[in-house]
Amino acid sequence: MPSNIAKSSLKIFGARILGSGISFLAVIVFSRELGAGPLGVYYPFIALLGLLSILANFGLRTATEKRISEGDDVEVFLGSAIILKSALLFLVVLAVLPFRGYINQYIGEEAVALFILALLAKEMSELSLFVLRGELRTDETALVESVYPVCWLSIGIILYMNNFGVKSLIIAHICGLFIMGIIGWKKVSLSPQWPDVEHIKSILDYGKYSVISAVGGYFYSWLDVIILTLFVILNFGISRQDIGAYENAWRLTMITMFLSQSIATTIFPQFSQWDSEDTIEKVESVIPTVIFPALLPVIPGFVGILVLSEDILEILFGTEFTVAAAALIILAAEKILQSVHVVLGRSLQAINYPDLAAYATVVSICINLILNIILIWYLGIVGAAIATTVSFAANTLLHMRFLSRFIDIRFPISKISWSVISSIIMGVIIYQYKVSYNISNIVHLLAIVVVGGIIYTLLLLLYTPIRISFKKKIM
């Protein structure tokens, strides 16, 4: 892995570990204080916000990052993006107002005004991050992103203590986004210039395909929650407590994705620049070196969750969340696929083939939608987890096939195999500990996770190629 990508990825990884650690602490606190039911209101709010955000964004963020990273007329492209973003936001807000009654029914609270504020805050803050990434300042965005969870936790606790209930989570979410956006825009070094038709068309040409990938990302993250919420409204055997438990399980598995997401965030602008310079062979040489570290946390993460799923949910969140234990295991397995996908997907978009990424996404969306409806009906939240996993397997395979048309994708099979073996040995040791001793509190749980991590790392380093690669990264 080139040193600039490695350093940026590690900086982002470190900042995201910190930020996500705080965010996950907030989830634990709010789960214990509010329970699964109120979280079953907050999570549908965020899911619906993501859906409207796709329309308000329409692929503009990724298109802006792409065009700015290419290095030509960057300030005109920034001005074009701001004009387009403002127009789309205005149209979406106008479209939302006539449906405020349905939105309140879906969320379960009177929250349309907060919903519009959240949409404005989300679009303002996230555009600043993509502009910074387009400037090849990806590592700086990680620090900006870490502001949000701090605000969500601190402001949320203050509001909860003042009897705001579930709205404390929503208001704190909005405040965190606004503060993150202010800091992000203060860091942007570009000054927007008035756009012209050519630059606007260039952004839209890229964004029309990028928006489909964004829809795919949304469907992957939130379609299950959307459909589960519809089942609640229609009284088809799903409760808001089920939604709260399921989404907590989802967020728990996302912890294993920090490194792969950090790598994917870093490689996009760099790969885009290499593509614009007609040096795509550099992309081909780097992909094998980033796939293995992307997989490093998710393989042992799945094995650990396989052994400890029910203990983790009960100790962290409470007994009512253990209904998601089986879903947690399935979602942890799915993260192995996602860690490969985020690298291949961002690579395909970076070398200017968003149309192929969009095609793969459309296929995945169709599979996801059909399977979610059928499997949730029969299996509840376990069905939602299975539907997500199957659809994302198809998405990953299609991205791999399309990217292989332009570059030779090589997987470091021997290193990955050793990671699997190390994880299995670690899992056996953890299981023996579990059956011999009672894991009854957070201290016991953290201790076994730390010991498991140490065992896995030591076993990894017994393999000479991995040990040599590790030494090169730290020296």
Side-chain angles (χ1 to χ4, degrees):
M1 187 189 305
S3 60
N4 59 326
I5 293 179
K7 289 178 181 177
S8 294
S9 297
L10 288 174
K11 286 181 181 179
I12 295 172
F13 176 64
R16 283 186 174 172
I17 283 286
L18 175 62
S20 297
I22 298 170
S23 182
F24 196 68
L25 175 62
V27 171
I28 293 173
V29 171
F30 295 138
S31 296
R32 289 182 167 276
E33 292 296 327
L34 296 173
L39 287 175
V41 173
Y42 171 72
Y43 290 140
F45 177 93
I46 301 300
L48 189 59
L49 178 64
L51 177 61
L52 270 294
S53 178
I54 294 173
L55 300 177
N57 176 49
F58 210 74
L60 294 181
R61 291 194 294 263
T62 302
T64 302
E65 179 185 2
K66 170 65 176 171
R67 296 304 181 223
I68 290 176
S69 68
E70 291 171 343
D72 297 323
D73 300 330
V74 292
E75 294 184 333
V76 180
F77 276 120
L78 177 57
S80 303
I82 292 173
I83 291 294
L84 287 169
K85 172 70 68 179
S86 301
L88 284 171
L89 267 172
F90 178 73
L91 292 174
V92 170
V93 170
L94 283 182
V96 162
L97 292 176
F99 298 97
R100 53 188 177 273
Y102 295 104
I103 292 173
N104 287 334
Q105 181 184 8
Y106 171 82
I107 295 172
E109 289 279 334
E110 295 286 335
V112 170
L114 293 175
F115 185 79
I116 292 172
L117 278 176
L119 181 63
L120 296 174
K122 179 177 174 62
E123 292 307 305
M124 178 195 76
S125 60
E126 292 195 358
L127 182 59
S128 71
L129 300 179
F130 279 76
V131 172
L132 285 170
R133 291 169 189 161
E135 293 185 68
L136 301 183
R137 296 164 60 195
T138 306
D139 52 341
E140 296 182 40
T141 64
L143 182 61
V144 179
E145 287 178 293
S146 66
V147 170
Y148 162 75
V150 174
C151 294
W152 188 48
L153 174 59
S154 56
I155 296 174
I157 289 175
I158 293 171
L159 293 174
Y160 171 75
M161 292 174 65
N162 285 276
N163 301 315
F164 277 78
V166 69
K167 285 188 177 179
S168 62
L169 304 181
I170 296 172
I171 296 172
H173 177 83
I174 296 169
C175 292
L177 290 175
F178 269 122
I179 295 171
M180 184 174 74
I182 292 169
I183 296 173
W185 282 110
K186 284 180 68 68
K187 283 184 169 291
V188 170
S189 63
L190 303 177
S191 299
Q193 292 185 8
W194 192 254
D196 56 36
V197 174
E198 179 183 349
H199 290 83
I200 289 177
K201 185 176 182 297
S202 178
I203 288 180
L204 291 175
D205 283 343
Y206 189 94
K208 66 185 178 184
Y209 295 112
S210 179
V211 69
I212 298 177
S213 293
V215 170
Y218 168 81
F219 268 55
Y220 167 69
S221 299
W222 291 111
L223 179 65
D224 38 17
V225 172
I226 290 283
I227 295 178
L228 286 168
T229 306
L230 292 177
F231 272 64
V232 171
I233 294 172
L234 297 173
N235 197 25
F236 283 170
I238 300 294
S239 68
R240 290 198 179 267
Q241 287 81 3
D242 291 330
I243 296 174
Y246 178 83
E247 181 59 21
N248 272 19
W250 171 276
R251 294 190 174 213
L252 183 60
T253 62
M254 288 302 295
I255 293 175
T256 64
M257 289 293 300
F258 291 156
L259 186 55
S260 55
Q261 288 178 332
S262 301
I263 292 170
T265 299
T266 304
I267 63 175
F268 180 87
Q270 183 63 75
F271 283 9
S272 174
Q273 185 181 57
W274 287 340
D275 175 63
S276 66
E277 295 170 351
D278 292 324
T279 54
I280 197 172
E281 66 277 1
K282 292 183 179 179
V283 175
E284 183 175 273
S285 66
V286 168
I287 284 181
T289 68
V290 299
I291 284 180
F292 177 62
L295 285 166
L296 271 177
V298 293
I299 296 173
F302 164 68
V303 173
I305 286 173
L306 180 64
V307 176
L308 300 171
S309 61
E310 192 165 331
D311 301 281
I312 293 171
L313 291 172
E314 182 174 3
I315 291 172
L316 290 181
F317 307 123
T319 304
E320 64 179 327
F321 290 86
T322 58
V323 296
L328 175 62
I329 294 171
I330 297 168
L331 292 172
E334 180 272 332
K335 293 300 177 289
I336 298 174
L337 297 170
Q338 191 190 356
S339 64
V340 176
H341 173 271
V342 293
V343 172
L344 301 183
R346 293 296 277 170
S347 300
L348 189 61
Q349 292 185 31
I351 64 173
N352 221 17
Y353 288 99
D355 53 335
L356 295 178
Y359 177 81
T361 300
V362 168
V363 173
S364 175
I365 287 172
C366 294
I367 295 172
N368 200 354
L369 179 60
I370 294 169
L371 288 182
N372 259 295
I373 294 173
I374 296 172
L375 295 180
I376 289 175
W377 180 277
Y378 286 103
L379 301 173
I381 58 176
V382 171
I386 294 172
T388 298
T389 302
V390 173
S391 65
F392 216 75
N395 199 1
T396 303
L397 291 173
L398 284 172
H399 273 83
M400 189 183 307
R401 179 182 176 185
F402 292 146
L403 187 60
S404 65
R405 293 180 183 178
F406 312 103
I407 62 176
D408 182 22
I409 303 173
R410 300 184 304 276
F411 285 87
I413 299 299
S414 60
K415 291 182 178 180
I416 294 173
S417 299
W418 188 257
S419 175
V420 172
I421 293 170
S422 301
S423 298
I424 292 172
I425 295 172
M426 176 204 72
V428 170
I429 295 172
I430 289 176
Y431 178 77
Q432 291 299 321
Y433 180 90
K434 176 184 176 180
V435 297
S436 301
Y437 303 96
N438 183 31
I439 305 174
S440 59
N441 56 52
I442 188 68
V443 175
H444 293 162
L445 181 62
L446 289 175
I448 198 169
V449 169
V450 170
V451 170
I454 292 172
I455 292 170
Y456 172 69
T457 303
L458 292 176
L459 289 170
L460 271 183
L461 295 177
L462 290 177
Y463 187 53
T464 302
I466 295 177
R467 187 169 63 252
I468 292 173
S469 298
F470 181 75
K471 286 181 179 179
K472 288 180 179 178
K473 296 294 183 298
I474 63 174
M475 293 180 64

